[in-house]
Amino acid sequence: MKNDILTQSFIDLRDKLHRSALRFLRNEEDAADALQDTFFRLWKSGTVATDSEARNKLFVVLRNVCIDRLRKPGTATLDERHMDDIAEPPASGEDIARLEALITSGLSATQRRIYVMVTHHGVEYEEIASRLGMSVEAVRVSMSRARKKIRDNYKKLDR
């Protein structure tokens, strides 16, 4: 009985759900797959008791499925897939260095050293801690603060 309520609600809302998925994913095939995944997840759980509950859960689960698909590596929206068509000159090493200097401005000397070791040289936190005579937790905190400062600087540049 529960699956009959779910099935009927899904059939009734199929067009609205499809349009909602298209707004998220911007791709007909991905939207159809998201609809199928949504129905399957709810059908498998079998936790729908009423028509209004089914309707609400369909939209919530669809939104979550779409977000999962967008977060998945290699998944791109239609706009991102056509970005290859736009010719953009490659960034030179000088441009990259200047941009990195801009976004890392304001970091303390220790934060900058830790940031460079982690991002450019791939050094683990434990090794950085032993090299700098710090605890691993202090290295993690410094890196976290450096990332926050970099994120803030980037947001300022993006405006």
Side-chain angles (χ1 to χ4, degrees):
M1 180 83 178
K2 290 179 183 177
N3 286 337
D4 291 336
I5 294 170
L6 175 65
T7 303
Q8 189 58 47
S9 295
F10 181 77
I11 291 169
D12 293 343
L13 294 172
R14 183 167 171 67
D15 291 335
K16 287 182 182 179
L17 291 165
H18 185 72
R19 284 192 302 270
S20 181
L22 272 174
R23 272 183 273 156
F24 274 106
L25 301 173
R26 298 184 182 164
N27 181 317
E28 192 73 34
E29 294 168 359
D30 289 341
D33 289 345
L35 279 179
Q36 185 176 4
D37 289 347
T38 299
F39 181 77
F40 181 71
R41 285 185 188 182
L42 283 172
W43 179 78
K44 188 172 69 172
S45 71
T47 58
V48 177
T50 65
D51 184 50
S52 64
E53 180 184 6
R55 291 173 181 269
N56 292 336
K57 283 189 175 184
L58 281 166
F59 280 103
V60 170
V61 172
L62 177 68
R63 184 196 68 207
N64 292 339
V65 166
C66 290
I67 291 171
D68 289 346
R69 286 180 172 275
L70 290 171
R71 285 183 180 165
K72 201 182 293 184
T75 303
T77 62
L78 186 60
D79 296 336
E80 293 168 344
R81 290 180 186 158
H82 293 291
M83 290 303 288
D84 296 336
D85 299 339
I86 301 171
E88 187 174 310
S92 70
E94 183 180 298
D95 292 338
I96 293 171
R98 190 171 57 236
L99 179 60
E100 186 174 21
L102 280 172
I103 64 172
T104 58
S105 65
L107 296 181
S108 69
T110 304
Q111 288 173 338
R112 189 179 307 275
R113 286 182 69 193
I114 292 171
Y115 171 77
V116 168
M117 283 192 251
V118 170
T119 58
H120 295 293
H121 305 292
V123 181
E124 298 292 325
Y125 289 160
E126 291 79 14
E127 188 175 339
I128 294 171
S130 66
R131 285 185 189 179
L132 299 179
M134 301 170 70
S135 70
V136 176
E137 187 61 32
V139 172
R140 282 193 177 103
V141 168
S142 291
M143 188 62 186
S144 174
R145 289 179 180 159
R147 285 183 177 136
K148 183 182 182 317
K149 182 67 176 173
I150 289 169
R151 190 171 34 252
D152 292 343
N153 287 344
Y154 183 77
K155 285 179 182 177
K156 288 176 187 174
L157 288 176
D158 196 34
R159 292 180 190 165

